[in-house]
Amino acid sequence: MSNPLFNASLLESLDFSDSEGIHFNPTITLKNPGNGLTIRPLQRDDYDHGYYEVLRQLTTVGEPSLEDFQTRFDEMLACDGTYYVIVVEDTNTKQVVASCSLVIEKKFIRQCTKRGRIEDVVVDGSCRGKQLGKLLVLTAKKLARKLECYKLTLECEKDKIPFYEKFGFRNNECFYMVQRF
């Protein structure tokens, strides 16, 4: 038995009656993301369900142990209202085939509001072309709005800008700086 990172009812409560100009052809929805697929929160046992195999298709993850994963999961779970990792599971294989993270930053500015940040959007190579990335980003956007974020940001490679512009994101020419350790 596995516990989710956040309450799945949050996803179930999202209003998809307005697709905000995002079109799915063929039609897929949060409740029906495709044959044999389901969308749900990350669960504590997803280490054994291919979560890291999907993340490795995005970036370097190293070789975290089950204990490392569960410790990080528990740390994130303890930060109620901060981490929303949404995954797509292949219900036939019980494997995670896509993922997207929404991180909520609590602010002192703007009447103590919140800012959302989309990170780690990835779809397994075997499932690309099924619009799962689109569905996950739209889900994260609607979740950020439901959680009353005043803005939603993300970082992406230049070649991904056209994809994210479809969701209303715009390149505001701000300088993004990074220092890696």
Side-chain angles (χ1 to χ4, degrees):
M1 183 167 159
S2 181
N3 61 323
L5 187 58
F6 63 94
N7 192 323
S9 67
L10 266 175
L11 295 178
E12 295 162 6
S13 71
L14 297 177
D15 181 8
F16 276 80
S17 62
D18 177 7
S19 65
E20 303 182 35
I22 304 299
H23 302 287
F24 295 95
N25 187 13
T27 300
I28 61 172
T29 64
L30 189 64
K31 292 180 181 174
N32 185 14
N35 190 27
L37 300 174
T38 190
I39 295 183
R40 60 169 175 77
L42 182 71
Q43 296 177 349
R44 198 167 192 274
D45 65 352
D46 279 333
Y47 180 91
D48 293 323
H49 296 278
Y51 182 61
Y52 275 116
E53 284 71 19
V54 172
L55 288 181
R56 282 188 180 93
Q57 296 177 52
L58 177 67
T59 191
T60 303
V61 297
E63 297 298 327
S65 67
L66 173 61
E67 182 180 350
D68 293 334
F69 175 82
Q70 290 178 341
T71 297
R72 179 53 42 93
F73 184 94
D74 292 343
E75 291 169 349
M76 294 169 84
L77 185 63
C79 297
D80 188 43
T82 302
Y83 296 101
Y84 300 86
V85 181
I86 307 161
V87 300
V88 178
E89 176 189 342
D90 180 320
T91 57
N92 297 313
T93 64
K94 304 295 184 211
Q95 295 296 297
V96 172
V97 296
S99 180
C100 174
S101 298
L102 172 64
V103 180
I104 305 298
E105 177 185 1
K106 295 174 178 139
K107 309 289 281 184
F108 286 107
I109 62 172
R110 298 181 181 260
Q111 297 292 106
C112 292
T113 191
K114 297 176 266 186
R115 168 193 182 214
R117 207 171 56 246
I118 291 178
E119 297 190 348
D120 305 334
V121 178
V122 61
V123 177
D124 184 79
S126 68
C127 291
R128 292 190 186 142
K130 296 182 178 182
Q131 309 177 96
L132 298 177
K134 269 188 352 184
L135 187 57
L136 284 171
V137 171
L138 184 60
T139 300
K141 180 179 175 181
K142 289 187 173 292
L143 183 55
R145 187 172 287 133
K146 181 172 187 69
L147 296 172
E148 300 177 340
C149 292
Y150 85 99
K151 75 176 176 180
L152 181 62
T153 62
L154 58 82
E155 300 153 11
C156 68
E157 301 291 329
K158 278 190 173 186
D159 66 323
K160 303 289 189 262
I161 290 174
F163 173 77
Y164 290 109
E165 286 178 333
K166 295 174 188 172
F167 298 91
F169 290 96
R170 58 181 165 64
N171 184 351
N172 64 1
E173 303 300 324
C174 287
F175 292 101
Y176 167 69
M177 301 176 74
V178 65
Q179 187 175 67
R180 295 185 189 267
F181 299 101

